[in-house]
Amino acid sequence: MVKCPRCGYENPSNAVYCYNCAYLLTDSHGNRINNTKRKNSWDIGIAKKIVIVLGIIIIALLLFSLVYNNTQPSHNETLNVITDDGSVHKTASYPYVAVIDYEGSWYAEMGNPNYLAKESGYGPKKFTLDCAPWDRVAIDAKKYDYGEGEFKVQLLRNGEVVAEDSTTNVTGRIVINYNY
């Protein structure tokens, strides 16, 4: 009797194929085929195994990235301040506004001292500064046309003037540093 390695059926010793599942038991010369492989073994090359493992790692990283990005607070949420008593003080996203009031040509650098925005223009203008409520704010502005009119710079926080300066000097320069 010959036991089929696939289904375990006991076949007669002269059987070429398993009577139960038609599995090949002998080769073309009548020799018994040695079918002693373990069931459910990985019968793939090492390169395929590496590709599968790398694919799993890449999918895991993509899923982690997706979950991480979707669970981060929005920019507006990160600008909230938690006070000593544990309450949350919601603030405007960008509470600071710079106002340059001059009828001539001017140049200014303003914002967080580490990341100053550079602006130039003619006539009065307002700029919303990309600063959080707790940031230091700096404004360095000067006349470009050496005019004799009043050159005035204001810093507003949530609509209220928190710092201002003016000059009538022809080479007028104003520097404002504000710490909340």
Side-chain angles (χ1 to χ4, degrees):
M1 296 298 268
V2 177
K3 187 175 184 178
C4 176
R6 182 190 288 166
C7 68
Y9 184 78
E10 291 286 336
N11 294 289
S13 59
N14 62 349
V16 176
Y17 291 96
C18 175
Y19 288 179
N20 187 43
C21 68
Y23 189 76
L24 182 63
L25 300 173
T26 61
D27 63 12
S28 60
H29 302 293
N31 299 324
R32 288 273 166 229
I33 297 175
N34 186 6
N35 293 318
T36 59
K37 285 187 180 179
R38 290 180 289 146
K39 269 189 169 178
N40 298 328
S41 68
W42 274 28
D43 194 19
I44 57 175
I46 189 136
K48 288 183 182 178
K49 289 178 187 176
I50 291 172
V51 168
I52 290 171
V53 169
L54 287 176
I56 291 170
I57 291 171
I58 289 171
I59 290 171
L61 288 173
L62 288 172
L63 286 173
F64 173 77
S65 173
L66 179 71
V67 168
Y68 178 78
N69 288 334
N70 288 333
T71 58
Q72 294 303 303
S74 71
H75 182 67
N76 290 344
E77 290 171 344
T78 60
L79 293 176
N80 293 335
V81 177
I82 300 175
T83 60
D84 289 340
D85 64 1
S87 63
V88 176
H89 175 67
K90 293 190 181 257
T91 59
S93 297
Y94 300 106
Y96 292 107
V97 174
V99 178
I100 298 178
D101 189 7
Y102 179 59
E103 294 300 329
S105 180
W106 52 266
Y107 173 80
E109 294 180 2
M110 53 197 147
N112 181 319
N114 297 321
Y115 309 101
L116 292 173
K118 299 174 182 176
E119 298 287 343
S120 60
Y122 187 88
K125 296 236 178 174
K126 287 184 177 184
F127 298 95
T128 301
L129 303 179
D130 187 12
C131 297
W134 52 84
D135 283 343
R136 285 182 44 221
V137 179
I139 301 174
D140 185 358
K142 60 185 172 184
K143 293 180 178 180
Y144 248 16
D145 62 0
Y146 302 104
E148 293 186 15
E150 181 183 25
F151 183 54
K152 183 177 178 182
V153 177
Q154 293 180 322
L155 177 64
L156 284 71
R157 183 173 191 267
N158 293 326
E160 296 180 26
V161 177
V162 292
E164 72 179 316
D165 199 358
S166 66
T167 183
T168 55
N169 190 334
V170 293
T171 60
R173 179 177 181 194
I174 297 174
V175 177
I176 294 176
N177 287 304
Y178 178 75
N179 293 326
Y180 174 64

